[in-house]
Amino acid sequence: MNRQRLLQRFLRYVQIDTTARSGVESYPSSPGQLELGRVLVEELRQLGLGDARQDGHGIVTATIPSNVDREVPVVALFAHLDTSPETSGAGVKPQVIENYQGGDLVLPGDSSRVIRPDEHPELKELIGRTIITSDGTTLLGADDKAGVAAIVEVAAWLVEHPEVPRGPVRLCFTCDEEVGRGVVYVDLKELGAQAGYTLDGQGADAIDVETFSADLAMVTIRGANIHPGIAKGRMVNALRVAADFLARLPFDGASPETTEDRQGFLHPYEVQGGVGEVKIQTLLRDFQTPALERWAAILKQAAADSMAAFSGSRIDLDIRPQYRNMAEGLAREPRAVAYAQRALERLGRKPRLTIVRGGTDGSRLTEMGLPTPNLACGQHWPHSPLEWACLEEMAGAVQWVVELLGLWAQP
C-alpha cells in the first residue's frame, strides 16, 4: 500500500469541516459535506472511475468494474463524510507523530488536553507507528475520514493492479450518519450489491457484528404559564414536572453511566423549554429488540405518575424507531462476516468479532436488506478533542479490504 499517499489523502480530508448539524431539515445538514463530496468525485474520476458522481443529496457513488470473466456478487463499500456535532470540526489542524516512542501526547493547541497511554492503552501496542491527532481544539475527524481515505486508497490500488481479481465494487459515501440520517437516501436497488461493508470501526482487525437496537423518544411536557404574581392555583410549571419525570427514571443499571457490554439503557440527553412547555429527547437502547418495549413502558409509567402528581400537566410521548441490531440481518448472508474473517487470516492477522454500544450505517443497511458488517479502520476515541488515528492501522484496513474483495471474486 502507498502509505504516504494514504496519509496525505487523510490529512486533506480532515481539514474540510463536515460537522453534521442536528435539527436541520436539509440533507446534508452542512455545506462542508458537499465540498468533501466534490473533492472525492474529482479524485475518483482521476483514478478512471468514470461513473463517479454526487447526487442531489450529496451522496457520492462510483464503481470499480469487475475484471473477472464470470458473474460474481457485487460488494459495496461505505463510509460517511460527516463528523460528530459533539466537538467542533472547524479548523482542524492535524498533527503527525512519526515513529511514536511512547509516553503522553500533549496537544499543542490546548496543553490541558493530553492523550495518555494509561487512558488509551492501545497506544502501548503502537510503538514505532505513525499517530495522527488534532491540535486539541477540535476533533480530528478520523470518524469517519479514516474510512473514506481507506476506501479511496483501495480504489487507487486496485486500478494500479489490474492483475488482482475482483468483482464489481460499488463505493458509497454517505452524509449525516452522526445525526442518524446516513442512509435515508441510499438507493439499494441502484447500488445492486449483495453484501456491503462500512469502514467505520475503531482500532484494527475488528469486525463489528452486533449493534444496539435503538428508538428515540421525544417527551413533551405541557404546563400552564401565568404571571408568577397571580400563579397560585393556576400555574403548572412544566420545568418542575420535567424534574419529577426525570427523577422517576431508573439510574443504576439502566443508564449509560452504569451499564456496559450488552446491557441496555434509557438516556435523556437534551432538555429544552420553560414553564409552559418542556421537551426531553431520550434514547432507548438494547441489544434485544423486544426489550425496547420494556424501556418504553418505563417511560410511559413515569409520565403517568408525574401527571398524577401535577394536576393539570400533560405529557406526550412520541417514540420512533432508529435502527436495529445488525446481527439479526447478518445471519441471512453468512459470507459477509466469514469472508472478512478469512481475509484477515490469509494476511496472518487475527480477526476479532465485536459488539458496538451504538449504531452504524451498517445497522440500517442490514435492516434494509443489505448485510453490512462494520470493519475497523484505525480510528480511536471518536467525537472527542482527544481523537487520534494510526496510519499503519489505516493501511492495514486497505490491505484487508483488497484481500476481502478477492475472496468475493473467487469461483
Side-chain angles (χ1 to χ4, degrees), residues 11 92-97 106-109 131-136 140:
L11 297 179
V92 173
K93 298 180 178 64
Q95 318 297 309
V96 179
I97 298 96
V106 180
L107 302 185
I131 306 299
I132 308 108
T133 75
S134 76
D135 70 347
L140 173 62

Side-chain angles (χ1 to χ4, degrees), residues 16-318:
I16 301 173
D17 179 9
T18 60
T19 308
R21 308 294 179 192
S22 59
V24 175
E25 292 186 5
S26 62
Y27 182 104
S29 61
S30 57
Q33 297 180 65
L34 294 173
E35 179 185 351
L36 178 55
R38 289 191 289 268
V39 169
L40 292 179
V41 168
E42 180 60 27
E43 291 185 2
L44 294 169
R45 287 177 177 170
Q46 288 177 2
L47 293 176
L49 307 188
D51 70 338
R53 62 183 289 267
Q54 183 180 49
D55 70 12
H57 301 293
I59 295 172
V60 173
T61 55
T63 306
I64 305 172
S66 174
N67 64 358
V68 297
D69 59 359
R70 58 186 176 276
E71 187 173 335
V72 297
V74 179
V75 177
L77 304 177
F78 297 88
H80 63 89
L81 305 179
D82 60 308
T83 60
S84 169
E86 294 181 40
T87 303
S88 173
V92 173
K93 298 180 178 64
Q95 318 297 309
V96 179
I97 298 96
E98 297 182 346
N99 193 23
Y100 170 64
Q101 290 302 297
D104 294 350
L105 297 174
V106 180
L107 302 185
D110 184 345
S111 59
S112 70
R113 288 177 170 152
V114 183
I115 302 174
R116 296 183 171 87
D118 287 347
E119 299 171 349
H120 303 247
E122 58 269 44
L123 275 174
K124 299 174 183 178
E125 307 299 322
L126 298 175
I127 303 299
R129 307 295 179 87
T130 300
I131 306 299
I132 308 108
T133 75
S134 76
D135 70 347
T137 63
T138 68
L139 49 64
L140 173 62
D143 178 12
D144 184 28
K145 291 167 186 174
V148 174
I151 289 175
V152 179
E153 184 60 27
V154 166
W157 198 89
L158 288 175
V159 168
E160 293 166 354
H161 294 82
E163 74 279 4
V164 176
R166 62 175 185 269
V169 183
R170 294 284 280 154
L171 312 182
C172 183
F173 301 97
T174 63
C175 303
D176 282 350
E177 188 266 0
E178 297 290 2
V179 290
R181 302 192 299 166
V183 299
V184 293
Y185 293 110
V186 172
D187 188 336
L188 291 185
K189 184 176 181 180
E190 180 184 347
L191 277 178
Q194 282 73 59
Y197 297 92
T198 49
L199 273 75
D200 191 17
Q202 298 186 50
D205 301 345
I207 309 165
D208 296 330
V209 295
E210 287 192 59
T211 62
F212 273 140
S213 287
D215 286 348
L216 171 66
M218 176 62 77
V219 183
T220 303
I221 301 173
R222 295 181 175 87
N225 197 2
I226 193 171
H227 191 286
I230 55 172
K232 185 175 181 180
R234 299 177 180 179
M235 177 183 286
V236 180
N237 190 334
L239 288 167
R240 296 188 185 279
V241 182
D244 181 84
F245 171 81
L246 290 171
R248 295 179 187 275
L249 300 183
F251 176 72
D252 190 23
S255 62
E257 306 96 308
T258 63
T259 55
E260 60 184 351
D261 297 328
R262 286 184 169 81
Q263 296 174 295
F265 57 72
L266 286 173
H267 178 41
Y269 70 96
E270 184 173 297
V271 179
Q272 295 179 332
V275 172
E277 181 178 280
V278 172
K279 291 183 179 292
I280 305 173
Q281 295 192 61
T282 302
L283 303 180
L284 292 72
R285 298 290 188 265
D286 209 289
F287 281 90
Q288 302 298 320
T289 300
L292 293 175
E293 297 179 6
R294 178 173 65 87
W295 295 116
I298 291 173
L299 286 178
K300 292 173 183 176
Q301 186 61 55
D305 292 344
S306 290
M307 284 191 289
F310 289 84
S311 178
S313 66
R314 176 179 170 185
I315 303 179
D316 294 319
L317 300 179
D318 180 13

Side-chain angles (χ1 to χ4, degrees), residues 4-22:
Q4 189 59 32
R5 182 173 64 186
L6 175 62
L7 174 61
Q8 294 306 314
R9 199 186 303 283
F10 175 68
L11 297 179
R12 186 162 62 249
Y13 298 164
V14 299
Q15 293 179 74
I16 301 173
D17 179 9
T18 60
T19 308
R21 308 294 179 192
S22 59

Side-chain angles (χ1 to χ4, degrees), residues 290-360:
L292 293 175
E293 297 179 6
R294 178 173 65 87
W295 295 116
I298 291 173
L299 286 178
K300 292 173 183 176
Q301 186 61 55
D305 292 344
S306 290
M307 284 191 289
F310 289 84
S311 178
S313 66
R314 176 179 170 185
I315 303 179
D316 294 319
L317 300 179
D318 180 13
I319 300 177
R320 303 174 184 178
Q322 290 186 302
Y323 55 84
R324 293 295 179 258
N325 189 339
M326 68 165 63
E328 302 164 8
L330 290 179
R332 295 194 295 267
E333 177 47 274
R335 290 179 298 177
V337 174
Y339 282 0
Q341 292 176 277
R342 192 182 308 172
L344 281 175
E345 291 165 351
R346 288 173 59 154
L347 293 169
R349 291 149 60 181
K350 185 176 180 179
R352 296 180 293 116
L353 299 183
T354 52
I355 66 173
V356 182
R357 285 178 60 83
T360 69

